[in-house]
Amino acid sequence: MKYKTNIYRSVSYLILCIVTVIMLFPFVYMFVTACKDDAQLIQKSFFPSPWHLENFYKAWTKEPFTTFLFNSTGVAVITMILAVLLSAMGGFALSKYRFRGRNLLFTSIIATMMVPGQVTMIPNFLISARLGILDSYIGLIVPVLPLAFGIFMMRQFIQAVPDSLIESARVDGATEFGM
């Protein structure tokens, strides 16, 4: 029996190593390509034959790359925090509160998951233009916040939380937001 486990473990590690190499290849290719000059980009050799590491210095000094990095990171972090917060609040409300039209609202949210993002790009742009939030952080963050999938997942998760736990939180003095 121990022999079979060793074989399974060895085969598992071999498969994981192969998958790791496949997953890391795009990053290696990106780094190798970044170390080539213009003439080497059209050649068929994989590795550059002198390595041009100064390309990284040029990329950081020619444009305000740190500004780009902090803008992208800031927008991503703020969007993630707001999306999780709003999804949790929506999922909690749809899961634990009883109100008229709750099932219709949930069905409508699920129906919006079937609409591809490409269909909503132009209406989102037009709405953002009319609101005057183009070329701003708000214009990047707000249009992607109503995440139907996030609300759906939070509702499904919160439904598994027993109502007695929520009642005990109310008895202990927790606010609705705190629950």
Side-chain angles (χ1 to χ4, degrees):
M1 192 68 173
K2 187 172 182 170
Y3 179 71
K4 279 188 175 182
T5 16
N6 286 339
I7 289 176
Y8 287 134
R9 182 174 286 158
S10 299
V11 169
S12 297
Y13 284 137
L14 178 67
I15 290 171
L16 285 174
C17 287
I18 291 170
V19 169
T20 301
V21 168
I22 291 171
M23 294 292 178
L24 288 178
F25 181 75
F27 296 104
V28 171
Y29 182 74
M30 181 175 54
F31 177 75
V32 168
T33 304
C35 293
K36 294 180 178 181
D37 64 0
D38 293 339
Q40 291 173 346
L41 286 174
I42 57 175
Q43 294 174 352
K44 294 190 179 194
S45 66
F46 183 73
F47 293 106
S49 64
W51 288 74
H52 294 281
L53 295 174
E54 69 271 5
N55 290 346
F56 294 104
Y57 176 75
K58 288 178 186 175
W60 281 88
T61 56
K62 190 173 183 181
E63 296 291 333
F65 202 77
T66 52
T67 305
F68 299 157
L69 182 68
F70 287 126
N71 283 345
S72 297
T73 305
V75 167
V77 167
I78 291 170
T79 303
M80 177 199 58
I81 290 170
L82 289 175
V84 169
L85 182 70
L86 293 175
S87 295
M89 292 189 322
F92 184 81
L94 288 172
S95 176
K96 296 300 178 185
Y97 293 139
R98 308 283 179 240
F99 55 90
R100 189 183 341 205
R102 177 180 71 144
N103 292 331
L104 179 66
L105 179 63
F106 181 66
T107 305
S108 302
I109 290 171
I110 294 298
T112 62
M113 289 173 55
M114 297 179 201
V115 178
Q118 293 85 346
V119 173
T120 61
M121 288 174 93
I122 293 175
N124 277 342
F125 174 79
L126 294 175
I127 290 170
S128 296
R130 287 212 177 125
L131 291 175
I133 58 174
L134 289 179
D135 295 331
S136 69
Y137 293 122
I138 293 173
L140 286 173
I141 295 170
V142 170
V144 297
L145 280 184
L147 298 173
F149 184 72
I151 294 172
F152 168 73
M153 291 299 287
M154 288 292 188
R155 177 186 178 267
Q156 297 304 105
F157 173 76
I158 293 171
Q159 273 187 333
V161 175
D163 290 337
S164 60
L165 189 64
I166 297 200
E167 290 171 9
S168 68
R170 280 194 182 113
V171 168
D172 288 343
T175 63
E176 296 298 311
F177 188 75
M179 285 187 287

